[in-house]
Amino acid sequence: MLNRTPPGNTSTKNTLNAYRKRRQFFRGPFLIYSIAAVLLLAGIAIVINATRGGNNPIGALFPTDTLTPTLTLVPTNTLEASVTPTITITPTITITPTPTGDLTYTIKEGDTLQGIAEQFNLGPDGVLLLLDYNAEIMQANGVYFVGQTIRVPPAGTVRSTATPLPSLGRGARIDYQVLPGDTLAGIAAKFNSIEADIITLNNLENPNDLQAGQSLKIPVNLVTATATLPSTSTPITPTVAGQPTQQAGTTATVSAPGVCQPAENATFVTELQTLINKARTDGGLSALNVNDKLAATAKAHAIDMVCNNYLSHIGLSGSTPDTRVAAQGYTASLVLENLYALHPAYGINAQSAFNWWMNNDSTSRSNILNPNVTEFGVTYQVSDNSLLGGYFVVVFAKP
């Protein structure tokens, strides 16, 4: 190996400069490529990141696989429509059946036999028909009560004793059913008969012990009929202290000479009105007002009973308290009646009648203390020729 002496300083310096130039030549491109690579990687990262989401503008530029979504079905509640239906009402046709047999009826508060007879279209003999079909009422002297079940005959029923008397010859016999309050004298007068003949024909041991519902054979038209009650009479209503003034009370007689002529005792009437109203006010009830139409109703029925010798709420013509009140022009929603008869020889007066009703007759007591009535009419009729002598009649009512 030759050991050469290195060239001078100039040669060494040039060598170094050449080396440096080569080094700088290679460093520049390296830096440039490195920066370019970094930029490229950064760009790739940005693109990847930008295309990762579903909502990106870049991702829309590249086609992607369309995935078939899995749908989760959520059941939907089907609501039933709330519809209010329109109801077509079919009218109920009320058919009134034609009864083919007896009906039963339960007596309600305020019922009367007359009202029941009218309700069932029993005709003018309706009350008597009800009595014919319900012997228990007859046996109770005409008393019936709320809650009692009675038999009602079909409309159009005719009483078996409805044969008109004018068509019967003298001495013809009919069957008669004794009504509450009937007396032998009254029955004889009703059919123009004779008491002794009735007693003989029916073998009556005690003519004074007739029973309601009892059947009798009556020989009719044995005597000539006479009028017992004139068509016109003046009703008398006495004045009571503390009550509305009515017509002045006087003693009156029937204006038909030679016929039945009962008289009215105004003092007895006033006393009885006072006793009744005192009993009501003592019981916490209102006093009753005197009504002239009710007094006329009481008087007409009292005269009929005095002159025909009977005692009954049912008149000889089949009238009832309701029909008698209506005949006087009084429109009532409730009618009640109290009766009391006794010969003056036995001491009849207002107090005796009142005491009997309050202590011995629950129905009459209930009438006196009935909270629904508001008016009344009172009469007392007496005749020496009457079998029972004197009669008190009180008619209670509510318009």
Side-chain angles (χ1 to χ4, degrees), residues 110-121:
D111 271 344
T112 63
L113 292 183
Q114 180 64 32
I116 296 171
E118 292 175 356
Q119 179 179 342
F120 290 93
N121 301 316

Side-chain angles (χ1 to χ4, degrees), residues 12-98:
T12 301
K13 183 176 180 181
N14 289 335
T15 301
L16 292 171
N17 287 337
Y19 174 76
R20 288 174 181 163
K21 289 180 182 179
R22 286 196 300 274
R23 189 175 180 184
Q24 288 177 352
F25 173 79
F26 289 109
R27 182 183 298 174
F30 178 78
L31 291 175
I32 291 173
Y33 292 140
S34 296
I35 291 171
V38 171
L39 292 175
L40 178 60
L41 293 173
I44 293 172
I46 291 172
V47 170
I48 293 173
N49 184 62
T51 59
R52 185 172 299 168
N55 297 323
N56 58 82
I58 299 176
L61 301 176
F62 300 94
T64 58
D65 293 335
T66 301
L67 299 178
T68 302
T70 301
L71 300 178
T72 302
L73 299 178
V74 178
T76 302
N77 293 328
T78 302
L79 299 178
E80 295 182 1
S82 178
V83 179
T84 302
T86 301
I87 301 175
T88 302
I89 300 176
T90 303
T92 301
I93 300 175
T94 302
I95 300 175
T96 304
T98 301

Side-chain angles (χ1 to χ4, degrees), residues 55-394:
N55 297 323
N56 58 82
I58 299 176
L61 301 176
F62 300 94
T64 58
D65 293 335
T66 301
L67 299 178
T68 302
T70 301
L71 300 178
T72 302
L73 299 178
V74 178
T76 302
N77 293 328
T78 302
L79 299 178
E80 295 182 1
S82 178
V83 179
T84 302
T86 301
I87 301 175
T88 302
I89 300 176
T90 303
T92 301
I93 300 175
T94 302
I95 300 175
T96 304
T98 301
T100 57
D102 299 349
L103 303 175
T104 57
Y105 178 79
T106 301
I107 297 175
K108 303 187 296 294
E109 182 70 33
D111 271 344
T112 63
L113 292 183
Q114 180 64 32
I116 296 171
E118 292 175 356
Q119 179 179 342
F120 290 93
N121 301 316
L122 298 183
D125 289 335
V127 173
L128 297 178
L129 282 169
L130 291 175
L131 293 175
D132 291 343
Y133 276 69
N134 297 277
E136 66 275 12
I137 296 179
M138 301 285 286
Q139 294 166 2
N141 202 32
V143 175
Y144 49 94
F145 52 88
V146 174
Q148 181 178 359
T149 299
I150 62 174
R151 293 170 57 210
V152 179
T157 301
V158 178
R159 297 190 71 217
S160 59
T161 58
T163 305
L165 294 183
S167 64
L168 298 178
R170 178 182 175 84
R173 298 176 182 181
I174 65 170
D175 292 323
Y176 177 76
Q177 191 175 38
V178 178
L179 296 174
D182 268 347
T183 64
L184 190 61
I187 296 172
K190 180 177 181 179
F191 296 104
N192 303 320
S193 187
I194 299 174
E195 294 179 53
D197 289 8
I198 298 175
I199 293 173
T200 300
L201 184 59
N202 293 278
N203 297 317
L204 298 179
E205 295 181 0
N206 185 356
N208 296 315
D209 189 27
L210 297 181
Q211 301 296 320
Q214 180 179 354
S215 293
L216 296 176
K217 297 286 186 180
I218 309 295
V220 301
N221 295 330
L222 297 180
V223 297
T224 302
T226 57
T228 59
L229 182 64
S231 58
T232 59
S233 60
T234 304
I236 304 299
T237 305
T239 302
V240 179
Q243 296 184 359
T245 302
Q246 306 291 334
Q247 298 177 355
T250 59
T251 300
T253 59
V254 177
S255 57
V259 194
C260 179
Q261 298 182 0
E264 183 174 66
N265 187 318
T267 301
F268 280 4
V269 171
T270 301
E271 290 175 353
L272 186 55
Q273 290 172 333
T274 302
L275 288 168
I276 290 174
N277 273 336
K278 184 178 185 303
R280 289 179 63 86
T281 55
D282 288 348
L285 302 173
S286 60
L288 302 177
N289 294 320
V290 175
N291 182 280
D292 57 346
K293 292 181 179 179
L294 297 181
T297 302
K299 180 176 180 178
H301 188 48
I303 291 175
D304 187 43
M305 291 188 293
V306 168
C307 293
N308 290 287
N309 297 307
Y310 74 99
L311 179 67
S312 174
H313 294 290
I314 308 299
L316 294 182
S317 64
S319 67
T320 66
D322 296 82
T323 60
R324 293 191 288 269
V325 165
Q328 293 293 335
Y330 186 102
T331 303
S333 60
L334 175 63
V335 177
L336 304 171
E337 185 180 68
N338 281 11
L339 305 178
Y340 181 78
L342 186 67
H343 198 281
Y346 296 99
I348 186 174
N349 54 39
Q351 190 68 58
S352 64
F354 179 79
N355 290 345
W356 175 266
W357 289 331
M358 296 299 288
N359 300 324
N360 302 91
D361 187 343
S362 59
T363 300
S364 295
R365 175 187 173 88
S366 297
N367 292 345
I368 292 173
L369 300 179
N370 190 303
N372 296 317
V373 295
T374 58
E375 299 177 318
F376 67 162
V378 180
T379 192
Y380 172 77
Q381 299 292 327
V382 61
S383 172
D384 292 337
N385 296 323
S386 175
L387 183 65
L388 294 180
Y391 287 73
F392 277 103
V393 178
V394 183

